[in-house]
């Protein structure tokens, strides 16, 4: 039974991280109607940003997470303004393909830049807190516990922000109908920029949270982003709540599946 | 001089260079050239699928892998003669293309891209996982087409395949089908209203391009002599997309030139390691941002502006390569 609990808790932690990645991807998709194929590299970038902030500034690891989110927010805004913004003008033909190609180009650019700049070897930032919580048969490293708590806070904050604040409601309005939102005085262009920035920040935060648990490598975003694609399809394209639930579910299925299915490698191939 | 013959003149000169080149260059570059034709086949057929018909598929490399593996297994396991194996591999890929196209018919844009990405990844993972049949990541050995170790026959075979398939696809695009495909890309609803059986033509273009991708895969397999599931990984697909986009997603010869230039550059800059791909990603974003129809049609247009007398004649005519917009 304790084995079951251990797998469940681990699956839950990973699921929460997946949920963070998927929520960012969904936010971008619902507001901009653009699938960000570069989302995995933003996640990677967040992990490294946090690592270097902690190393250079000597701040506690949690500030690394916050710093990474701020940096990624700025990066997202700049990228959206410079590269994605032309999609909304008439100058661009084949808008869907344009967005796929530029975000995919971003992936090629950043993942290889990561290899050159950060090096191919894995790096591990310091733990949020050493040691582990031992409750009966359940052993849970504080790292994972803190990552899970922060992820829950971020996801909760995002949900409240989208439901309760006027900015969040404006984002929701644009995601439902651009023209109608523009009619009642919401500037869709501004919402696109904000949504892309927030989506990038969420990816960056997820990367920063996972960094002490698994280590950092330039290709760390490839697998989680594929999972995130699966999640946003399961959770209903464009629904932030759905993607959160989908993320947690997928984490649990993976956590338990690895333990109980006879051939995990093959099981992954068919999920 | 009309725009048509202007483009054709350039293409003829480039073709002549490609034919004569192996007489001058060494065996290493002949080998590189022969691989470049593999990418050229993929980039050109992907440009037809994504650029003309607007069906942005990430599964193109999976079809190449399917072709390569099917042909290798048919020869290796069932002992079929090589030509028969190749033809059946291509037919198999076309059937699969039809099935997948029928599945994804209602999807477009990002949905289609995600779905085909998933199909492609599943297929690749099956290749890795079912190692009793495919030998997984160890790699499947494939018999060659030609005896001897010279790459020159492969170079000319690849060149012939590229020329024939581009000519064939351009011939197809010059008929009504080409117009239908472009109409579907621009506005599927309007195309259907005008009496085009959009379902049929979407499946059709999927089948044709899957067949060409499988052809490229069999060529690659029997040329290199070993196949691994890595030919269907996402970065390979990214490379092909980058080649087609940089060369010109709406011009099949442009995509071929893009593939050859990108591949030769990436080979000659090999000593710079990963910086090559940093550059590739940057160029991909910049080309898409500032010259959406590709670098070579863009350069061609610049060149034509320098010759104003010709430019006037060119207005209103569409090139053989096709520049819509």
């Amino acid at each position: 039974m304790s084995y079951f609990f251990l797998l469940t808790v681990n699956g839950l932690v990973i699921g929460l991280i997946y949920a963070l990645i998927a929520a960012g991807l969904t936010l971008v998709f619902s507001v901009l109607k653009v699938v960000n194929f570069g989302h995995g590299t933003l996640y990677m970038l967040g992990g490294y940003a946090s690592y270097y902030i902690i190393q250079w500034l000597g701040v506690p690891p949690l500030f690394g997470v916050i710093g990474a989110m701020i940096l990624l927010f700025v990066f997202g805004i700049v990228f959206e303004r410079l590269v994605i913004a032309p999609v909304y003008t008439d100058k661009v033909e084949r808008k869907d393909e344009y967005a796929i190609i530029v975000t995919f180009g971003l992936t090629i650019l950043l993942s290889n830049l990561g290899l050159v700049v950060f090096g191919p070897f894995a790096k591990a930032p310091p733990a949020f807190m050493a040691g582990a919580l031992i409750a009966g048969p359940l052993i849970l490293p504080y790292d994972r516990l803190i990552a899970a708590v922060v992820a829950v806070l971020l996801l909760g904050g995002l949900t409240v922000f989208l439901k309760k604040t006027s900015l969040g409601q404006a984002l929701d309005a644009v995601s439902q109908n651009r023209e109608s939102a523009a009619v009642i005085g919401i500037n869709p262009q501004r919402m696109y920029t904000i949504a892309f920035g927030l989506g990038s920040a969420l990816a960056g935060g997820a990367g920063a949270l996972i960094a002490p648990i698994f280590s950092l490598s330039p290709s760390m975003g490839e697998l989680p982003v594929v999972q995130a694609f699966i999640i946003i399809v399961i959770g209903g394209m464009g629904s932030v709540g759905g993607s959160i639930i989908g993320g947690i579910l997928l984490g649990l299925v993976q956590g338990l599946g690895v333990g109980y299915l006879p051939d995990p490698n093959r099981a992954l191939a068919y999920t | 001089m009309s725009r048509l013959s202007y483009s054709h003149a350039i293409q003829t000169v480039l073709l002549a260079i490609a034919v004569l080149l192996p007489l001058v260059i060494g065996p290493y570059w002949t080998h590189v050239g022969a691989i470049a034709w593999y990418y050229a086949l993929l980039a050109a057929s992907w440009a037809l699928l994504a650029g003309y018909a607007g069906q942005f598929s990430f599964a193109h490399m999976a079809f190449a892998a399917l072709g390569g593996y099917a042909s290798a297994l048919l020869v290796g396991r069932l002992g079929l003669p090589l030509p028969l194996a190749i033809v059946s591999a291509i037919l198999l890929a076309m059937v699969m293309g039809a099935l997948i196209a029928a599945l994804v018919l209602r999807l477009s844009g990002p949905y289609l891209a995600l779905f085909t990405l998933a199909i492609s990844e599943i297929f690749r993972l099956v290749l890795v996982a079912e190692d009793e049949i495919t030998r997984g990541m160890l790699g499947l050995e494939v018999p060659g087409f030609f005896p001897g170790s010279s790459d020159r026959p492969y170079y000319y075979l690849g060149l012939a395949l590229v020329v024939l398939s581009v000519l064939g696809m351009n011939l197809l695009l010059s008929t009504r089908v080409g117009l239908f495909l472009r109409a579907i890309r621009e506005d599927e609803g309007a195309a259907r209203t005008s009496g085009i059986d959009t379902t049929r033509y979407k499946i059709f273009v999927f089948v044709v391009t899957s067949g060409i991708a499988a052809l490229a895969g069999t060529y690659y397999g029997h040329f290199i002599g070993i196949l691994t599931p890595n030919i269907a990984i996402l970065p390979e697909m990214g490379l092909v997309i980058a080649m087609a986009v940089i060369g010109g997603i709406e011009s099949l010869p442009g995509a071929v030139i893009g593939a050859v230039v990108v591949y030769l550059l990436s080979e000659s800059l090999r000593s710079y390691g990963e910086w090559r791909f940093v550059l590739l990603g940057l160029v991909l974003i910049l080309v898409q941002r500032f010259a959406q129809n590709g670098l070579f049609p863009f350069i061609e247009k610049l060149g034509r502006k320098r010759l104003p007398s010709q430019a006037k004649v060119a207005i209103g005519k569409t090139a053989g390569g096709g520049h819509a917009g």
Side-chain angles (χ1 to χ4, degrees):
Chain A
M1 205 57 196
S2 65
Y3 183 55
F4 174 78
F5 272 120
L6 196 66
L7 291 176
T8 309
V9 171
N10 274 330
L12 201 61
V13 174
I14 301 303
L16 284 166
I17 300 292
Y18 283 158
L20 267 186
I21 306 173
L25 197 61
T26 304
L27 187 64
V28 171
F29 179 76
S30 66
V31 177
L32 283 85
K33 302 286 177 286
V34 159
V35 172
N36 181 7
F37 279 87
H39 206 66
T41 49
L42 298 174
Y43 164 81
M44 180 268 292
L45 222 53
Y48 277 100
S50 153
Y51 175 81
Y52 284 107
I53 288 171
I54 297 167
Q55 292 292 314
W56 287 344
L57 302 181
V59 293
L62 270 183
F63 286 93
V65 177
I66 298 168
M69 290 187 71
I70 295 171
L71 280 179
L72 263 290
F73 183 73
V74 174
F75 180 87
I77 283 181
V78 171
F79 183 76
E80 198 275 344
R81 279 288 93 198
L82 286 182
V83 182
I84 299 186
V87 173
Y88 322 123
T89 64
D90 286 335
K91 268 187 280 178
V92 172
E93 299 169 40
R94 303 185 298 267
K95 296 176 191 302
D96 290 337
E97 285 83 358
Y98 174 90
I100 299 171
I101 291 170
V102 290
T103 54
F104 198 69
L106 181 73
T107 311
I108 302 178
L109 174 71
L110 286 181
S111 58
N112 288 291
L113 200 62
L115 272 176
V116 178
V117 178
F118 306 135
F121 305 109
K123 285 188 166 66
F128 294 118
M129 198 172 153
L133 178 74
I134 301 170
L138 190 66
I139 302 169
L140 186 62
Y142 283 124
D143 257 353
R144 294 188 182 216
L145 191 66
I146 291 175
V149 171
V150 175
V152 168
L153 287 177
L154 284 175
L155 290 172
L158 178 71
T159 314
V160 172
F161 166 74
L162 288 178
K163 291 266 183 271
K164 300 287 175 196
T165 64
S166 56
L167 185 59
Q169 285 173 341
L171 283 171
D172 193 25
V174 173
S175 79
Q176 287 180 23
N177 193 323
R178 290 176 187 185
E179 282 76 24
S180 312
V183 166
I184 57 167
I186 298 167
N187 180 0
Q189 299 262 354
R190 228 180 106 230
M191 294 305 133
Y192 299 153
T193 313
I194 292 172
F196 201 87
L198 279 179
S200 311
L202 286 170
L209 284 177
I210 205 82
I213 302 177
F214 304 125
S215 41
L216 293 166
S217 74
S219 60
M220 64 189 265
E222 284 166 16
L223 192 62
V225 80
V226 174
Q227 315 281 23
F229 288 145
I230 299 172
I231 293 163
I232 66 169
V233 174
I234 296 173
M237 305 271 286
S239 148
V240 172
S243 68
I244 294 175
I245 296 168
I248 296 171
L249 274 182
L250 188 73
L252 282 177
V253 167
Q254 259 185 11
L256 294 173
V258 168
Y260 289 112
L261 287 178
D263 185 351
N265 203 5
R266 210 165 280 188
L268 275 180
Y270 298 114
T271 40
Chain B
M1 201 188 210
S2 77
R3 197 169 151 186
L4 193 70
S5 58
Y6 178 80
S7 298
H8 275 198
I10 294 179
Q11 284 161 23
T12 315
V13 171
L14 288 176
L15 182 61
I17 294 175
V19 169
L20 295 175
L21 216 52
L23 306 176
V24 206
I25 55 179
Y28 173 70
W29 287 103
T30 310
H31 184 84
V32 169
I35 299 178
W37 299 133
Y38 160 70
Y39 284 112
L41 274 172
L42 288 168
S45 52
W46 189 80
L48 171 62
L49 184 61
Y52 271 90
Q55 309 294 309
F56 198 105
S57 162
F58 269 105
H60 213 56
M61 300 307 285
F63 284 111
L66 177 66
Y69 269 96
S71 157
L73 289 172
L74 286 174
V75 174
R77 302 257 161 178
L78 301 182
L80 287 187
L82 199 55
L84 189 62
I86 291 170
V87 172
S88 7
I90 293 171
L91 285 178
L92 176 68
M94 290 169 96
V95 172
M96 287 303 290
L99 288 178
I100 290 177
L103 262 179
V104 300
L105 271 177
R106 287 189 186 77
L107 306 175
S108 66
Y111 298 93
L112 178 67
L114 277 179
F115 192 89
T116 49
L117 177 68
I119 288 186
S120 167
E121 279 295 291
I122 291 170
F123 181 67
R124 186 181 66 82
L125 288 168
V126 169
L127 285 183
V128 175
E130 301 298 333
D131 50 6
E132 296 95 11
I133 303 169
T134 63
R135 291 184 31 90
M137 294 302 283
L138 287 172
L140 183 69
E141 280 179 45
V142 189
F145 282 125
F146 303 114
S149 60
S150 167
D151 287 332
R152 201 174 282 178
Y154 290 104
Y155 179 94
Y156 284 114
L157 176 66
L159 179 60
L161 290 178
V162 169
V163 171
L164 286 178
S165 48
V166 168
L167 281 179
M169 286 191 283
N170 265 340
L171 197 66
L172 177 75
L173 290 174
S174 65
T175 63
R176 285 157 60 85
V177 178
L179 291 176
F180 290 167
L181 292 178
R182 213 177 289 175
I184 291 172
R185 182 194 74 204
E186 292 301 328
D187 191 333
E188 202 180 326
R192 198 177 307 144
T193 320
S194 326
I196 300 173
D197 186 348
T198 54
T199 309
R200 194 210 277 173
Y201 287 102
K202 277 164 82 176
I203 295 181
F204 175 72
V205 74
F206 237 98
V207 168
V208 168
T209 53
S210 306
I212 293 174
L215 174 70
T218 54
Y219 162 72
Y220 183 79
H222 292 287
F223 160 46
I224 298 293
I226 193 158
L227 280 172
T228 67
N230 274 359
I231 70 168
I233 56 175
L234 201 51
E236 283 284 301
M237 188 68 236
L239 189 61
V240 169
I241 293 177
M243 287 165 168
V245 170
I246 290 170
I249 195 172
E250 282 190 19
S251 145
L252 303 183
V256 169
I257 298 172
V260 172
V261 168
V262 168
Y263 191 68
L264 292 187
L265 267 183
S266 87
E267 274 303 311
S268 46
L269 300 177
R270 198 164 261 282
S271 55
Y272 292 92
E274 309 303 336
W275 283 111
R276 296 176 295 161
F277 297 108
V278 176
L279 187 70
L280 182 71
L282 193 64
V283 170
L284 180 58
I285 296 177
L286 289 178
V287 166
Q288 188 64 3
R289 175 76 176 77
F290 296 107
Q292 246 211 324
N293 284 335
L295 211 51
F296 297 103
F298 182 71
I299 292 171
E300 208 188 340
K301 215 159 90 190
L302 282 185
R304 205 176 284 117
K305 269 186 193 155
R306 296 246 171 91
L307 309 161
S309 58
Q310 290 179 11
K312 273 177 201 156
V313 187
I315 293 170
K317 291 196 178 178
T318 14
H323 309 271

